[in-house]
Amino acid sequence: MLVLLRKAQQQQSNLHLRFKSGGQMVVLGKEGLFRQSGCSLQSLLEATPANTTVKKIAEKSPVVAGVRERGRELRELQWMLAYEISGGKLLFDAKDTHVFKLDRWPNFTKLPHSDNCLRMTAFLGKRATSVALVSKILQIPIEQVRRFYVASREAGYTVALNEKAEVIELPAKWKNRSLVSSLLMKLKRV
């Protein structure tokens, strides 16, 4: 479900999802809105391609207009799903060494969270830090930090600083040289 929501946003498409359980949901990828009826969080967590029908809907559809008027932020749904699915484990390509910072506060009145989420939000709003370091500095169990990171990342509340670290190859002549010998070589040239 998280992958489907991410694709809807990336492709800016409007989707109508029908679940075998009888519930349905409309997602507006461009506006970042959704509206559901007859769906519980548990039914959304259990949704699979086998028990879900997905159709694209036209921009001029009256359903789209209704979601624009009374829809909720898609970030809320993404947070809820990621928070529950994570269960303290990292999802997708996330790592404990990822350095990230929050660029906006989640609305915790509408979102599931632990008591430590407010502390992590305040801390990460001021400085960028890795998942592992947040756990050590704030003395919070790593599972709670991972859950928070996965949920905030999927909902788009974070700015990742090192997810795609650039690897720089050093020339062969510099690989085994110590700092002192490098400085001496530079001084000799002067």
Side-chain angles (χ1 to χ4, degrees):
M1 180 64 74
L2 284 171
V3 175
L4 180 67
L5 296 176
R6 194 183 307 151
K7 283 184 180 179
Q9 279 188 305
Q10 289 170 349
Q11 298 171 356
Q12 297 185 352
S13 54
N14 301 329
L15 302 177
H16 186 235
L17 290 75
R18 288 185 189 267
F19 306 101
K20 292 234 174 166
S21 61
Q24 57 183 342
M25 179 169 52
V26 175
V27 176
L28 304 183
K30 185 177 181 180
E31 289 91 351
L33 298 172
F34 82 100
R35 181 143 188 201
Q36 56 85 24
S37 64
C39 301
S40 66
L41 181 59
Q42 190 59 39
S43 68
L44 293 175
L45 291 169
E46 294 169 356
T48 64
N51 64 13
T52 307
T53 306
V54 180
K55 292 182 181 177
K56 285 191 175 187
I57 50 179
E59 191 72 29
K60 296 178 182 179
S61 170
V63 175
V64 171
V67 174
R68 284 188 181 129
E69 290 175 17
R70 296 180 299 272
R72 293 173 57 187
E73 270 193 75
L74 192 55
R75 288 178 188 236
E76 293 175 20
L77 180 61
Q78 290 169 311
W79 174 288
M80 288 186 271
L81 291 171
Y83 191 82
E84 294 301 322
I85 290 170
S86 170
K89 296 178 182 168
L90 294 172
L91 299 178
F92 306 113
D93 59 346
K95 296 180 179 145
D96 285 337
T97 57
H98 282 176
V99 175
F100 69 106
K101 184 177 182 176
L102 288 180
D103 64 348
R104 90 182 245 204
W105 275 67
N107 184 354
F108 289 120
T109 60
K110 297 181 177 183
L111 303 173
H113 63 281
S114 69
D115 294 339
N116 290 317
C117 282
L118 292 172
R119 290 178 58 212
M120 287 185 276
T121 302
F123 182 75
L124 290 163
K126 292 182 181 179
R127 63 183 53 92
T129 313
S130 71
V131 174
L133 200 54
V134 170
S135 175
K136 287 180 184 174
I137 291 172
L138 297 179
Q139 298 178 344
I140 297 172
I142 190 77
E143 293 79 17
Q144 285 186 23
V145 180
R146 287 175 180 156
R147 201 172 195 187
F148 176 84
Y149 174 57
V150 168
S152 60
R153 182 177 178 223
E154 284 301 310
Y157 292 116
T158 61
V159 174
L161 302 178
N162 77 334
E163 281 186 16
K164 294 180 178 154
E166 191 176 313
V167 177
I168 301 171
E169 284 293 323
L170 293 175
K173 66 178 187 176
W174 293 101
K175 282 190 179 180
N176 295 324
R177 208 174 261 188
S178 69
L179 177 64
V180 175
S181 65
S182 297
L183 290 172
L184 287 173
M185 291 299 287
K186 286 185 181 181
L187 288 173
K188 285 180 184 178
R189 282 188 227 147
V190 176

